[in-house]
């Protein structure tokens, strides 16, 4: 099922639940109950709960958005380091240069075609680590034959280190970023915040019913947004492998 279809269903369900509860409460209300009279303390507490929950939602959205941006940065850094290796190795003899470039292309192709699918399940592949080790061996095992090659050796080693560090950072970002206890707080807070709508005795006019439904749908949308960003590589608005395909165009050919 599409993530956006899940979002639409969740928002619709939130509206329907609120409307049903309000209508049921309206039918069961006492004849002498005056919905216009709401204690001031309830209005104050409702306002404070809404403000506190809005702050929590804002922090959660900012946290998962930052994590997604960092995940995309890791992909960019890794692809750029591999591209630098492929370009800088041109000063080496043809047989060494071609071997390094072939191994870089094999690794980049594996990341885009195979490892990216594994990352959607929250894991990396052992083959990817093996291919990167082969690139490292290609670079570090070669003994420069001239001063020009010697000058290129250390920058190439540094780029291999940068690619390895970016890969490790990408591996650390494959799972969910929000702890379970935070999700418990977000969902509980949503229930309490929406529940306070009924404490305000909103049941009189169609306008109030619409506003209550829209308010609940908005909270459902924000929770979905946090959930979607929570796994940077595996859900709808996820980090992409575009840096690899941009720097290695033949991978999409």
């Amino acid at each position: 099922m599409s993530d956006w279809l899940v979002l639409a269903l969740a928002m619709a369900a939130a509206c329907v639940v609120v409307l049903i509860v309000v209508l049921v409460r309206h039918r069961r209300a006492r004849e002498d109950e005056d919905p216009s009279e709401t204690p001031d303390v309830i209005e104050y507490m409702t306002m404070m709960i809404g403000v506190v929950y809005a702050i929590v939602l804002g922090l959660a959205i900012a946290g998962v958005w930052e994590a997604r941006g960092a995940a995309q940065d890791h992909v960019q850094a890794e692809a750029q380091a591999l591209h630098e290796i492929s370009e800088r190795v041109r000063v080496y003899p043809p047989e060494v240069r071609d071997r390094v470039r072939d191994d870089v292309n094999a690794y980049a192709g594996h990341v885009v075609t195979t490892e990216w699918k594994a990352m959607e399940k929250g894991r990396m592949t052992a083959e990817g680590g093996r291919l990167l080790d082969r690139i490292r061996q290609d670079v570090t095992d070669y003994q420069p034959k001239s001063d020009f090659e010697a000058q290129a050796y250390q920058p190439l080693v540094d780029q291999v280190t940068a690619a390895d560090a970016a890969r490790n950072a990408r591996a650390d970002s494959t799972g969910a970023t929000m702890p379970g206890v935070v999700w418990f707080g977000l969902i509980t807070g949503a229930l309490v915040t929406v529940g306070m709508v009924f404490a305000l005795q909103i049941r009189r006019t169609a306008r109030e019913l619409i506003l209550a439904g829209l308010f609940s749908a908005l909270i459902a949308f924000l929770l979905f947004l946090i959930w979607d960003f929570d796994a940077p590589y595996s859900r709808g608005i996820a980090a992409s492998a575009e840096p690899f395909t941009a720097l290695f165009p033949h991978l999409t050919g």
Side-chain angles (χ1 to χ4, degrees):
M1 183 181 296
S2 169
D3 289 345
W4 295 107
L5 178 58
V6 173
L7 170 61
L9 293 176
M11 294 177 66
C15 291
V16 170
V17 169
V18 170
L19 295 179
I20 290 176
V21 173
V22 171
L23 291 175
V24 170
R25 183 177 180 276
H26 175 70
R27 293 196 174 194
R28 294 187 177 182
R30 301 190 310 270
E31 294 183 359
D32 60 345
E33 181 179 349
D34 185 2
S36 65
E37 295 182 358
T38 300
D40 292 339
V41 66
I42 294 182
E43 293 183 354
Y44 175 77
M45 291 303 298
T46 300
M47 178 185 67
M48 292 303 299
I49 290 173
V51 170
V52 171
Y53 189 63
I55 294 173
V56 172
L57 275 179
L59 292 175
I61 292 174
V64 293
W65 177 259
E66 183 179 357
R68 180 196 174 280
Q72 189 67 58
D73 291 342
H74 300 327
V75 178
Q76 179 66 48
E78 185 179 5
Q80 186 62 46
L82 292 170
H83 179 69
E84 288 295 321
I85 294 171
S86 184
E87 291 299 318
R88 295 189 183 204
V89 79
R90 71 179 186 273
V91 303
Y92 282 7
E95 65 275 8
V96 179
R97 177 192 62 206
D98 294 342
R99 183 172 67 250
V100 173
R101 286 180 173 176
D102 288 344
D103 288 343
V104 168
N105 290 334
Y107 174 77
H110 176 78
V111 170
V112 172
T113 60
T114 302
E115 192 162 64
W116 209 264
K117 296 178 181 178
M119 288 165 56
E120 294 177 356
K121 301 177 182 179
R123 60 183 178 84
M124 303 286 280
T125 63
E127 178 65 12
R130 187 187 68 80
L131 291 173
L132 185 59
D133 287 339
R134 193 163 69 185
I135 297 173
R136 181 185 290 107
Q137 292 172 6
D138 292 341
V139 172
T140 58
D141 291 354
Y142 177 71
Q143 296 182 356
K145 302 296 191 300
S146 66
D147 290 341
F148 189 43
E149 292 180 0
Q151 291 174 3
Y153 177 80
Q154 189 57 49
L156 280 169
V157 173
D158 292 341
Q159 292 301 323
V160 172
T161 302
D164 186 49
R167 174 182 171 80
N168 290 333
R170 177 163 59 87
D172 292 338
S173 302
T174 53
T177 58
M178 298 284 287
V181 65
V182 176
W183 274 113
F184 175 79
L186 289 173
I187 295 174
T188 302
L191 295 176
V192 172
T193 303
V194 174
M196 292 303 293
V197 170
F198 308 121
L200 285 175
Q201 301 180 0
I202 294 179
R203 63 180 182 83
R204 292 181 299 165
T205 65
R207 181 177 59 183
E208 290 175 336
L209 291 176
I210 292 174
L211 289 176
L214 291 177
F215 176 70
S216 304
L218 176 61
I219 291 181
F221 170 75
L222 293 176
L223 289 176
F224 173 85
L225 198 63
I226 295 172
W227 174 82
D228 196 74
F229 285 155
D230 190 30
Y233 296 112
S234 61
R235 291 175 185 153
I237 310 176
S240 70
E242 191 272 337
F244 280 95
T245 57
L247 294 175
F248 298 93
H250 57 279
L251 297 180
T252 58

